[in-house]
Amino acid sequence: MTGAQLYQLFYGSGSFNHKLFLAVNHAALPFLDVVMPGITFLGGSQLVYPYLLLLAILYAVDKRLMPARYLAVYAAATILSLGVEALLKDFFHVPRPVAAIGLEGVRVLGHVSRSFSLPSGHAVFSFMTAFVLGYGRSLRWKAPLFTCAVLVAWSRIYVGAHYPLDVAVGGIVGAACGLIVWKIWEAGERFISHRRKGLE
């Protein structure tokens, strides 16, 4: 199957992905028209520095609440996830809904991006954040973190920036990047622990 055929299968006007995008994007609820652009802003990777600062403040206030390893893993996972996102976008070259459908067929709330669409960077970043900060913690941590990530992903469809498949793939990529960095961190901790025991 050619690339063009795959695109039509997953993004063509007859695909479930395309139809679901139009259903969500054209919902046009006044309350959501106000709220969703704000949610999508909060899920952007441009806020990584304020978020790191917030985590650092939490660490300074209570190291049991926010251990240093969470800050280190979050910083590393952010770098990895942004790199993977850029590579995948350049590989797939999927056009944004506005580019594929046209401005007349898409409700755009906010900035109209001209970059490629797959995967959604907001979904990558928000799910990476949820996975990293929720790792090894109770449902009291995981539930609000992943609820926020899902809302960010949904907002990207609602504001006309991404197809559902873009945010689904973005969520998987973000969580996977978080898992990879955590596993590397834990392997490093085990290695150091074994070395210390060997020196005793």
Side-chain angles (χ1 to χ4, degrees):
M1 189 173 287
T2 66
Q5 289 172 324
L6 283 171
Y7 177 81
Q8 284 302 315
L9 177 64
F10 290 107
Y11 287 90
S13 58
S15 68
F16 176 73
N17 184 36
H18 182 95
K19 292 175 181 177
L20 181 57
F21 167 77
L22 292 179
V24 174
N25 177 245
H26 288 188
L29 300 174
F31 173 72
L32 293 182
D33 284 356
V34 174
V35 171
M36 285 301 182
I39 292 175
T40 206
F41 172 76
L42 292 174
S45 59
Q46 74 276 3
L47 294 181
V48 64
Y49 295 116
Y51 288 157
L52 277 170
L53 177 60
L54 176 60
L55 295 181
I57 292 171
L58 290 175
Y59 166 74
V61 171
D62 188 347
K63 294 177 177 59
R64 293 172 300 175
L65 179 67
M66 189 55 61
R69 65 182 181 275
Y70 279 87
L71 277 76
V73 170
Y74 184 66
T78 296
I79 295 170
L80 175 63
S81 63
L82 292 178
V84 172
E85 174 206 337
L87 287 173
L88 290 176
K89 280 186 175 179
D90 193 52
F91 177 79
F92 288 114
H93 282 202
V94 172
R96 295 269 184 166
V98 167
I101 301 171
L103 271 172
E104 69 283 352
V106 178
R107 292 180 67 247
V108 177
L109 302 177
H111 173 67
V112 179
S113 177
R114 298 297 179 184
S115 65
F116 294 120
S117 197
L118 179 68
S120 160
H122 282 68
V124 171
F125 180 70
S126 58
F127 274 88
M128 178 278 297
T129 297
F131 189 92
V132 168
L133 299 184
Y135 187 77
R137 296 185 185 268
S138 68
L139 190 62
R140 289 175 60 188
W141 276 85
K142 288 183 171 69
L145 285 167
F146 279 98
T147 297
C148 289
V150 169
L151 286 173
V152 169
W154 190 262
S155 75
R156 298 305 286 161
I157 307 169
Y158 190 87
V159 302
H162 282 287
Y163 293 97
L165 184 58
D166 302 336
V167 299
V169 172
I172 293 169
V173 169
C177 288
L179 176 62
I180 288 168
V181 177
W182 263 121
K183 290 304 179 184
I184 292 172
W185 180 272
E186 291 174 340
E189 285 183 328
R190 287 193 298 271
F191 176 77
I192 293 170
S193 177
H194 291 157
R195 286 292 301 272
R196 285 176 177 170
K197 289 179 180 178
L199 294 173
E200 291 175 356

